[in-house]
Amino acid sequence: MGMKLSTRINGHVTSGQIVEVEAYRGDKDEASHSFRGKTKRSEVMFREGGYCYVYLIYGMYHCVNIVTEKEDLGCAVLIRALEPLDGIETMRKRRKLTQSKVHYLTNGPGKLCQALGIDKKLSGEDFLNSSRISLSSYKKIKKSQILSGPRIGITKSTHFNWRFYLKDNPWVSK
DNA sequence: ATTGAGATTGACT
DNA sequence: GTCAATCTCAATA
């Protein structure tokens, strides 16, 4: 939370501050892609922390995750919303939004992937050694500014309060 | 081989 | 508020 997520795709640099995330883990979490073991799609989730897991959701949109923890544990953090920073005009064109609707640039997991040009080709990239996608320090966030609640859009394991978001940040999805 | 559900979004009533 | 867009996976045959 508070870190900057950046991409460089075909020379276009875009980035945003992470303001909303959800945690997924390999055991005890029925909502996780890693819960039933490795598949061709979820293989990246079982690597050691630092890799980028991107998947296609509902056949239409992409979602980006940061793999965490040790190898074989299947834990990752889904990026759900960003506060736009660099390359806003590039993001607006990718999202096909008019100036009056830039508010909707990156306030959702599918939206931010479209804005930053993230798709399945970036799944498996190493955040620490990639020329196309990276993370960097941006803002120090106080714990008191981070709120939590149930994860959005899932029907299993809804009792875990593993959605985290910045208090009063206008870019949060809901 | 077929079917139904899913970590979403935008268009429409 | 409803619904369709259409890829991946697991369950069924």
Side-chain angles (χ1 to χ4, degrees):
Chain A
M1 201 68 94
M3 289 191 80
K4 180 155 120 174
L5 174 67
S6 310
T7 59
R8 186 188 190 97
I9 310 292
N10 297 327
H12 297 285
V13 173
T14 50
S15 73
Q17 181 198 186
I18 298 172
V19 299
E20 179 183 354
V21 299
E22 282 177 3
Y24 288 84
R25 55 182 290 166
D27 64 331
K28 298 187 282 193
D29 184 4
E30 291 190 79
S32 176
H33 289 171
S34 53
F35 181 70
R36 288 164 189 82
K38 274 186 203 178
T39 64
K40 187 181 175 187
R41 176 178 66 166
S42 69
E43 166 271 320
V44 176
M45 270 190 89
F46 291 88
R47 298 188 194 175
E48 63 182 330
Y51 283 92
C52 173
Y53 171 48
V54 182
Y55 65 90
L56 189 59
I57 183 72
Y58 296 112
M60 298 279 297
Y61 297 95
H62 294 273
C63 293
V64 62
N65 296 250
I66 301 164
V67 177
T68 60
E69 308 300 330
K70 295 175 181 171
E71 189 175 359
D72 293 328
L73 292 185
C75 298
V77 169
L78 168 72
I79 310 302
R80 283 198 58 91
L82 300 174
E83 177 171 331
L85 294 174
D86 304 304
I88 290 177
E89 185 57 18
T90 298
M91 293 195 266
R92 191 185 65 76
K93 284 175 183 164
R94 285 182 181 144
R95 295 272 297 119
K96 304 189 195 304
L97 294 178
T98 58
Q99 290 290 353
S100 62
K101 295 193 173 176
V102 288
H103 183 70
Y104 300 108
L105 263 187
T106 54
N107 63 333
K111 298 175 190 177
L112 88 254
C113 282
Q114 194 174 48
L116 270 63
I118 296 170
D119 63 21
K120 282 192 299 180
K121 294 196 292 289
L122 291 183
S123 197
E125 287 286 293
D126 181 350
F127 275 111
L128 299 174
N129 285 288
S130 172
S131 57
R132 296 190 289 173
I133 189 164
S134 60
L135 289 165
S136 54
S137 297
Y138 182 68
K139 266 189 184 168
K140 173 72 180 169
I141 308 293
K142 290 179 185 151
K143 246 184 180 172
S144 61
Q145 294 305 112
I146 300 177
L147 305 183
S148 66
R151 294 174 294 180
I152 292 175
I154 56 169
T155 54
K156 300 171 202 161
S157 294
T158 53
H159 55 293
F160 294 122
N161 290 331
W162 288 347
R163 171 176 176 252
F164 302 91
Y165 55 100
L166 292 191
K167 187 184 179 200
D168 299 325
N169 187 289
W171 298 94
V172 166
S173 68
K174 285 179 185 171

